[in-house]
């Protein structure tokens, strides 16, 4: 039985034009995201077989595959909701996201400095990967992370609340090899309401990470 399922998009394929074309959204969601869901489910089945047979010769590869596909599924699930056709700008108190705006200013100095760091992190991720704004529960601060592939180079326990997909399949049909142009354009569709809700949720669960009993 499949454990993970492909979530429906919260908008139609054309909702993010002109920043992201309908063709990219359709291929990205229906093909690439779907492949990560299938990969996670297939790997779980293979791990179940390994347990049943007590055969562990492939355990390293299976654990790596599970991390890759599952992280890809989770990050993409966040990614779709992080965007909206009437988004962009910056989080402001008058829009009901003042707590997020304050946290960004406290953690990075200003929104402009945060935007510059996340833009550079996403645009310069080596190979395929993501630029991520995450809540770090030990200090209660926001941090920017580079995620290589889907799962590497992250702080344990950090919670992603805003993700920029920097894999070529996210932009190549429209932006060719100009990844920086795509990342700059992404700021025009950021759904700050969604990011704010994720920040509040992550902050409320911060005590779940116990560094000592």
């Amino acid at each position: 039985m499949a454990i993970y399922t492909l979530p429906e998009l919260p908008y139609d394929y054309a909702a993010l034009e002109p920043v992201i074309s309908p063709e990219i959204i359709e291929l990205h969601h229906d093909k690439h995201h779907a492949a990560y869901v299938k990969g996670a489910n297939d790997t779980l089945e293979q791990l179940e077989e390994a347990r049943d047979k007590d055969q562990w010769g492939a355990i390293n590869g299976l654990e790596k595959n599970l991390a890759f596909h599952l992280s890809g599924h989770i990050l993409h699930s966040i990614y779709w909701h992080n965007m909206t056709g009437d988004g962009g700008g910056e989080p402001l108190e008058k829009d009901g996201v003042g707590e997020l705006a304050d946290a960004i200013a406290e953690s990075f100095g200003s929104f402009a400095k945060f935007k510059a760091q996340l833009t550079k992190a996403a645009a310069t991720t080596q190979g395929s990967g993501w630029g991520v704004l995450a809540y770090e529960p030990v200090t209660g601060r926001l941090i920017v992370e580079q995620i290589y592939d889907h799962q590497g180079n992250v702080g344990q326990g950090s919670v992603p609340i805003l993700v920029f997909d920097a894999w070529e399949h996210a932009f190549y049909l429209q932006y060719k090899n100009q990844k920086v142009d795509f990342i700059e354009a992404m700021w025009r569709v950021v759904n700050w309401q969604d990011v704010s809700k994720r920040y509040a949720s992550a902050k409320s669960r911060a005590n779940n990470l116990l560094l000592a009993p």
Side-chain angles (χ1 to χ4, degrees):
M1 178 181 296
I3 305 269
Y4 300 105
T5 58
L6 180 67
E8 293 185 5
L9 287 170
Y11 35 68
D12 62 41
Y13 295 138
L16 302 179
E17 284 192 294
V19 173
I20 307 179
S21 70
E23 183 182 16
I24 288 179
I25 295 295
E26 181 176 6
L27 288 171
H28 196 167
H29 176 267
D30 296 3
K31 301 298 182 181
H32 291 282
H33 189 171
Y36 301 127
V37 172
K38 183 180 186 303
N41 287 324
D42 288 349
T43 306
L44 287 178
E45 290 181 3
Q46 294 167 37
L47 285 165
E48 181 180 13
E49 182 179 357
R51 291 192 298 271
D52 291 342
K53 296 181 178 180
D54 197 26
Q55 295 180 351
W56 303 107
I59 186 63
N60 287 340
L62 289 174
E63 295 290 358
K64 183 177 180 180
N65 284 344
L66 181 60
F68 175 81
H69 290 296
L70 179 54
S71 295
H73 170 44
I74 291 171
L75 288 168
H76 279 93
S77 297
I78 298 170
Y79 179 67
W80 304 124
H81 287 273
N82 272 170
M83 298 182 291
T84 178
D86 58 358
E90 64 179 278
L92 299 171
E93 185 176 359
K94 69 180 181 65
D95 297 322
V97 292
E99 187 176 1
L100 172 65
D102 291 344
I104 288 174
E106 180 179 354
S107 297
F108 300 99
S110 69
F111 177 79
K113 292 177 180 179
F114 153 67
K115 181 179 178 181
Q117 184 177 344
L118 181 54
T119 297
K120 288 296 184 181
T124 61
T125 300
Q126 294 176 340
S128 299
W130 301 70
V132 173
L133 173 66
Y135 178 80
E136 194 281 287
V138 176
T139 61
R141 295 176 64 84
L142 296 173
I143 60 173
V144 165
E145 299 178 321
Q146 287 181 319
I147 301 182
Y148 304 143
D149 290 332
H150 292 313
Q151 77 277 23
N153 204 36
V154 298
Q156 297 300 314
S158 62
V159 180
I161 63 173
L162 173 62
V163 299
F164 279 14
D165 192 343
W167 285 66
E168 285 191 348
H169 64 237
F171 63 88
Y172 200 84
L173 287 176
Q174 187 173 355
Y175 294 85
K176 306 307 179 190
N177 64 334
Q178 300 302 312
K179 183 191 293 187
V180 174
D181 291 346
F182 170 66
I183 299 303
E184 288 288 354
M186 275 289 299
W187 290 102
R188 293 159 51 193
V189 294
V190 173
N191 185 346
W192 291 115
Q193 298 292 330
D194 180 71
V195 179
S196 180
K197 291 176 182 176
R198 294 180 187 279
Y199 170 68
S201 178
K203 189 176 180 181
S204 71
R205 303 195 307 268
N207 291 333
N208 290 348
L209 180 64
L210 300 179
L211 298 183

